[in-house]
Amino acid sequence: MRKGAPRMSTPPLPPVSQADLADVAAAFKLGADFVDGRPHGHGLINDTFAIRTTRGGEPLRFVFQRINHRVFKDVPALMENIRRVTDHISAKPTDTAHQPLHIVRTQSGDAYHRDASSCFWRCYNFIEGATSHDALTSPDQARAAAAAFGEFQRDLVDLPGPRLHETIPNFHHTPKRFADLREAIRTDPVGRAAAVGPEIDFALKHEPLTHALLAPHERGEIPERVTHNDTKISNVMLDDNTGAGVCVIDLDTVMPGLALYDFGDLVRSATNPCLEDELDLGKVRTQLPIFEQLVAGYLGSARSILNEAELAHLVVAGRLLAFEVGIRFLGDYLLGDVYYKTKREHHNLDRARGQFTLLRSMEEAEPEMQRIVDRYR
Ligand code: GN1
Ligand code: MG
């Protein structure tokens, strides 16, 4: 950071102790005795804990999440979305032996609990015998993950009204995200813009890409659906024994959206062999065998609900989402890391570089990616 520049970071939510987790446990109808809890997963927004309990002497786990209410400003509306969606999916027949993901109610029957510092907590059942992966190691995993996200969209096609709440308005409105980036470049509140000229140039040159899905949507060609909107690969659980998709998780952003936002986010996160914050950009690229299995798995479960315009935009969706996520990381870097959790000084910049490198790789692979889609559609 430039000397003397003010750091605009939002103060983090208060730290969480074992005693705090025990208090949260007491607020929910767990029907079990709290043992302990520890941080779980690598989400960039909420704080997630795996909670150990015992019920009748048997171990039983839960997931507690403290919801970041600075990002999700209307938690009651968000929890209403999640309740409707999980209830709807749970009522459908399934061929997995796993319990579906569901929210555990509080002692007073609510979907969330508010602690003494006014933070919001929710509790999910722990999906045992399954794992979420931050990066994939095989094309089979890609097929299973994509099938699970496709099934999620298909399951929600008949979700009864009313329209779900928009938990974050304009979440995937890429032109608005681009305008936010421009504003961050213009205001440059922590003096970081001068040192990231190449990244800013790259972003500005790609402005036309921001309209890739919104323009056909506005022309009425691509419909609004109920979508997940945060389908990065770590948001699906795969069975530890069979490798099959068990369920999708992280339902905070389930709301009206475009099917291709979900497919695109999956492409950008799953085809990259690296983690999002990889420093060795020489390793970052889109892997075509993984892409092929994403197409196969997604179309295998969602083909029946998709129209021709959606099928025609599968390839560009991956590029769009890599760009959107990249400009959000770059914008947050310019603003002084106020949105995403960071662990090192240039963390958001490293993440932005990763997404831009991935985008370049997808640009080079575009003809081959299109040939793959044409073979499956
Ligand atoms: C955030 O919370 P998490 O890690 O699931 C973000 C996504 C980004 C993702 C990038 C509400 O997701 O939109 O794609 O980071 N979620 C929100 O890793 O902003
Ligand atoms: Mg999320």
Side-chain angles (χ1 to χ4, degrees):
M1 202 189 334
R2 200 173 58 181
K3 239 200 257 145
R7 204 175 161 88
M8 301 255 301
S9 231
T10 325
L13 298 179
V16 178
S17 67
Q18 291 298 314
D20 296 331
L21 291 175
D23 286 348
V24 175
F28 285 95
K29 247 188 219 139
L30 303 183
D33 298 319
F34 175 81
V35 176
D36 61 13
R38 58 187 174 83
H40 186 67
H42 302 111
L44 300 187
I45 309 290
N46 295 323
D47 298 306
T48 306
F49 301 87
I51 304 297
R52 296 196 305 165
T53 71
T54 56
R55 180 184 284 171
E58 294 295 314
L60 178 67
R61 291 198 285 176
F62 294 91
V63 172
F64 287 180
Q65 280 188 308
R66 183 171 64 178
I67 304 164
N68 185 334
H69 58 267
R70 294 180 181 137
V71 167
F72 297 105
K73 298 195 165 49
D74 188 349
V75 175
L78 175 156
M79 291 309 296
E80 187 182 307
N81 280 357
I82 295 183
R83 183 186 53 70
R84 285 178 58 197
V85 163
T86 51
D87 284 354
H88 186 75
I89 292 179
S90 301
K92 303 220 161 186
T94 164
D95 49 13
T96 108
H98 294 267
Q99 259 204 342
L101 184 70
H102 63 266
I103 44 180
V104 177
R105 303 303 156 105
T106 66
Q107 302 291 357
S108 46
D110 296 323
Y112 59 88
H113 161 68
R114 267 195 115 165
D115 69 15
S117 50
S118 292
C119 291
F120 294 87
W121 289 83
R122 70 168 157 239
C123 174
Y124 284 116
N125 56 316
F126 196 105
I127 310 286
E128 298 287 355
T131 306
S132 91
H133 304 264
D134 288 327
L136 295 186
T137 48
S138 80
D140 285 350
Q141 289 178 327
R143 193 184 186 109
F149 280 117
E151 193 177 320
F152 182 78
Q153 290 184 345
R154 203 188 56 207
D155 278 348
L156 292 171
V157 164
D158 57 353
L159 180 76
R163 189 172 183 262
L164 290 178
H165 302 287
E166 279 192 62
T167 47
I168 301 183
N170 298 314
F171 190 61
H172 283 300
H173 194 297
T174 324
K176 289 211 167 107
R177 298 287 191 182
F178 190 81
D180 291 345
L181 173 69
R182 270 196 203 281
E183 186 61 10
I185 297 167
R186 193 185 65 77
T187 56
D188 192 20
V190 292
R192 282 175 162 175
V196 293
E199 287 76 14
I200 291 177
D201 282 350
F202 180 88
L204 295 180
K205 281 201 189 98
H206 279 80
E207 191 272 337
L209 182 58
T210 63
H211 305 280
L213 296 182
L214 216 51
H217 171 62
E218 281 162 0
R219 290 196 300 268
E221 295 161 17
I222 293 184
E224 177 180 291
R225 301 181 183 280
V226 175
T227 51
H228 183 284
N229 295 303
D230 186 8
T231 56
K232 69 177 179 188
I233 192 63
S234 54
N235 282 338
V236 57
M237 308 284 297
L238 302 182
D239 187 294
D240 292 337
N241 294 320
T242 66
V246 172
C247 64
V248 313
I249 57 171
D250 190 3
L251 307 179
D252 292 322
T253 50
V254 175
M255 59 180 156
L258 308 185
L260 296 176
Y261 293 147
D262 286 1
F263 183 72
D265 207 11
L266 194 54
V267 170
R268 70 129 198 122
S269 61
T271 65
N272 183 358
C274 304
L275 298 181
E276 244 169 19
D277 57 0
E278 175 64 54
L279 287 166
D280 182 354
L281 296 177
K283 292 192 202 150
V284 173
R285 63 183 202 284
T286 199
Q287 301 173 99
L288 292 173
I290 299 275
F291 178 73
E292 173 157 1
Q293 293 311 312
L294 292 178
V295 173
Y298 180 63
L299 293 186
S301 53
R303 175 70 186 88
S304 61
I305 64 164
L306 299 174
N307 72 20
E308 286 304 312
E310 287 170 312
L311 293 173
H313 288 81
L314 286 167
V315 174
V316 76
R319 298 203 299 280
L320 176 73
L321 268 288
F323 186 57
E324 184 185 284
V325 174
I327 61 176
R328 288 177 64 198
F329 284 145
L330 182 59
D332 197 38
Y333 180 71
L334 292 174
L335 293 180
D337 310 315
V338 292
Y339 186 88
Y340 295 108
K341 288 184 195 169
T342 52
K343 292 193 175 147
R344 52 181 195 248
E345 196 185 354
H346 301 297
H347 212 157
N348 273 317
L349 177 61
D350 298 336
R351 291 170 176 148
R353 286 179 172 150
Q355 293 303 308
F356 291 167
T357 304
L358 188 68
L359 170 54
R360 253 185 243 116
S361 162
M362 285 195 258
E363 286 171 343
E364 280 162 23
E366 198 271 341
E368 187 50 34
M369 292 171 97
Q370 193 55 55
R371 275 194 288 276
I372 290 171
V373 168
D374 293 342
R375 278 209 300 278
Y376 282 87
R377 51 186 282 197

